Amino acid sequence: MAENFKSGFVSIIGKTNVGKSTLINNLVGEKIAAVVNKSQTTRTAIRAIVNRENSQIVIIDTPGIHKPQTKLGKIMVDTAYKSSENVDAILFLVDAINNKIHKGDSIILEKLKSQNTPVILLINKIDLIKKEALLQIIKNYSELYEFKAIIPISALNKKYVKTILNEIEKCLPEGPPYYEKDEYTDQTERQLIEEIIREKLLKSLSDEVPHGTYVEVEKMELGVTKKEEDIYNIEATIYCIREGHKGIIIGKNGQMLKKIASASRFEIEKMLNKKVNLSVWVKVKDNWLNQDEMIKKFKL
C-alpha cells in the first residue's frame, strides 16, 4: 500500500434522471447501476468501489430526489438523504439544461447546508448548452453555497472521470482500504442480475409500467452442460401491480418477455463469464409499493 494512502466514502445526490447512475458506472469503469432515460431508476443505495494508486473511493449511488407518491417513494428519498450523512464528501449532480436553479435542487441544497461535509457540484449535460449559459449556472450556484469544487461535465463522456476522482481524493482522510483491491461493488451477483433484468425491462416498456415493477432472483445454481461446460441456471420473477401490466410485460405470444430475457441473458453471461440458462416469470402483487413487507428490502 502506498505511503499516505487515503480511503473514504462519497455519496452522489441529485434529482431523478440527472445522470447519477451513468456517472457512477463511468467513475468505477464497471456496470454497477441500471442506466435508463427514465426517472426513479435507482431504488436503493448502491456502493461502488474505485481503486486508485493512492486511494480507495467508495461511491454511494442513491435514488433520485422526488416528491414521493407511495411508501416506496418515501423510502427512496429517505435513503438518498441518509446515504449523504457521515460521508467524507458529497457529489451534488445537477442538470445544466435549465440555467435557473430548479426548486428540487434548492431543496437538496438546503439539506446539504445543514451538514458539515465538503460538497462538489457537478453540472451535467453541458454538451447541450452554450458557454454563456454555463457561466450563468456556475454564478447562480456559487452565490448560494461555497462548494469545495464546481466541475462542469457530461456524464456520458469519460474524459471528466480523472478530474472528479482527483477532487474527491482531496477530501478523503488517510487510512487503509475498506475492500479488497479487485472488488468494485458491495452488490451480490444476485443483486447485479436483478439490476440487469430491471434495466432491460425499463428500456423495453412504456413509462407507465416500469415504476410498478421489481425483479427478484429466486434461484441461482451452477451446473454443467452436456459438453462439460459450466452453466448458471437462473430463475427470476418480475413483479408488477396490475394484470394489465403483466400482459404488457409478456407481450403478444410472449415476445416482449423473450426480448427482455434474451437481452438480460447476454449481459449476465458477460458479467459472470459463463453460459447462462435464464428463466423469467411475471407475477402480479397488487399495490406492493405501499406494502411494508414488500418494500422493506429497499430500506437502507
Side-chain angles (χ1 to χ4, degrees):
M1 190 171 68
E3 191 177 351
N4 302 321
F5 191 87
K6 290 184 170 185
S7 62
F9 294 80
V10 56
S11 68
I12 302 179
I13 195 166
K15 302 196 313 296
T16 60
N17 207 27
V18 291
K20 296 188 300 299
S21 295
T22 299
L23 176 63
I24 198 168
N25 288 339
N26 278 341
L27 292 176
V28 179
E30 297 283 352
K31 182 73 170 288
I32 304 295
V35 179
V36 185
N37 189 26
K38 296 180 189 290
S39 63
Q40 301 173 40
T41 301
T42 302
R43 285 178 171 165
T44 59
I46 297 172
R47 288 186 178 183
I49 303 151
V50 180
N51 289 296
R52 310 187 84 199
E53 184 179 351
N54 298 306
S55 67
Q56 184 181 83
I57 304 169
V58 183
I59 306 174
I60 307 168
D61 185 20
T62 63
I65 303 297
H66 63 283
K67 189 175 181 180
Q69 305 294 325
T70 63
K71 284 187 177 181
L72 175 61
K74 185 178 186 305
I75 283 176
M76 288 165 63
V77 173
D78 289 346
T79 295
Y81 283 127
K82 284 180 182 178
S83 297
S84 296
E85 297 173 358
N86 303 314
V87 292
D88 300 293
I90 297 170
L91 299 180
F92 178 28
L93 187 62
V94 300
D95 196 321
I97 295 176
N98 190 341
N99 61 12
K100 293 182 180 179
I101 297 177
H102 189 275
K103 182 180 177 183
D105 290 322
S106 296
I107 292 171
I108 295 170
L109 197 52
E110 286 304 310
K111 288 271 189 180
L112 298 181
K113 285 179 180 179
S114 65
Q115 300 174 216
N116 188 25
T117 305
V119 179
I120 299 169
L121 177 67
L122 303 180
I123 304 172
N124 193 21
K125 304 180 184 179
I126 60 170
D127 50 315
L128 302 178
I129 63 169
K130 294 181 179 179
K131 183 179 179 181
E132 294 76 16
L134 175 59
L135 293 174
Q136 185 60 51
I137 295 170
I138 293 173
K139 181 176 183 293
N140 292 343
Y141 276 100
S142 298
E143 290 174 351
L144 293 178
Y145 191 84
E146 188 174 342
F147 294 97
K148 185 72 174 178
I150 298 177
I151 309 173
I153 67 166
S154 171
L156 294 170
N157 195 323
K158 295 181 181 180
K159 75 176 184 179
Y160 301 97
V161 167
K162 186 176 180 180
T163 300
I164 297 169
L165 293 177
N166 285 344
E167 285 298 332
I168 293 171
E169 201 172 275
K170 293 175 185 177
C171 302
L172 302 184
E174 290 187 13
Y178 291 90
Y179 296 92
E180 296 295 327
K181 195 170 184 178
D182 60 347
E183 292 186 77
Y184 62 88
T185 182
D186 67 344
Q187 297 277 91
T188 65
E189 287 182 341
R190 283 184 177 232
Q191 289 172 316
L192 289 169
I193 290 167
E194 288 169 353
E195 276 287 287
I196 288 170
I197 297 171
R198 195 166 67 88
E199 180 188 69
K200 306 312 175 191
L201 178 73
L202 289 165
K203 284 184 173 179
S204 300
L205 300 177
S206 62
D207 288 336
E208 179 189 1
V209 178
H211 298 311
T213 61
Y214 79 94
V215 179
E216 202 165 73
V217 171
E218 315 278 359
K219 175 185 173 183
M220 183 175 174
E221 294 179 351
L222 184 61
V224 180
T225 67
K226 291 180 180 179
K227 294 181 179 180
E228 298 298 315
E229 295 176 311
D230 286 343
I231 185 169
Y232 272 106
N233 294 301
I234 300 171
E235 296 178 6
T237 301
I238 297 171
Y239 290 95
C240 58
I241 57 175
R242 296 190 185 97
E243 282 292 339
H245 289 179
K246 179 180 178 180
I248 294 171
I249 296 168
I250 294 173
K252 187 177 181 180
N253 298 322
Q255 289 305 306
M256 178 58 74
L257 186 58
K258 287 179 183 177
K259 175 185 173 184
I260 293 166
S262 178
S264 300
R265 181 182 58 79
F266 179 76
E267 188 162 328
I268 294 166
E269 285 185 335
K270 285 203 302 181
M271 181 188 76
L272 298 175
N273 198 27
K274 284 183 173 61
K275 288 184 177 295
V276 168
N277 175 34
L278 177 64
S279 300
V280 183
W281 287 270
V282 184
K283 296 181 181 179
V284 176
K285 279 194 180 292
D286 292 329
N287 197 33
W288 69 266
L289 298 95
N290 288 299
Q291 295 175 11
D292 293 335
E293 182 64 26
M294 296 298 297
I295 62 177
K296 65 182 181 181
K297 68 176 286 186
F298 300 101
K299 289 186 178 180
L300 187 63

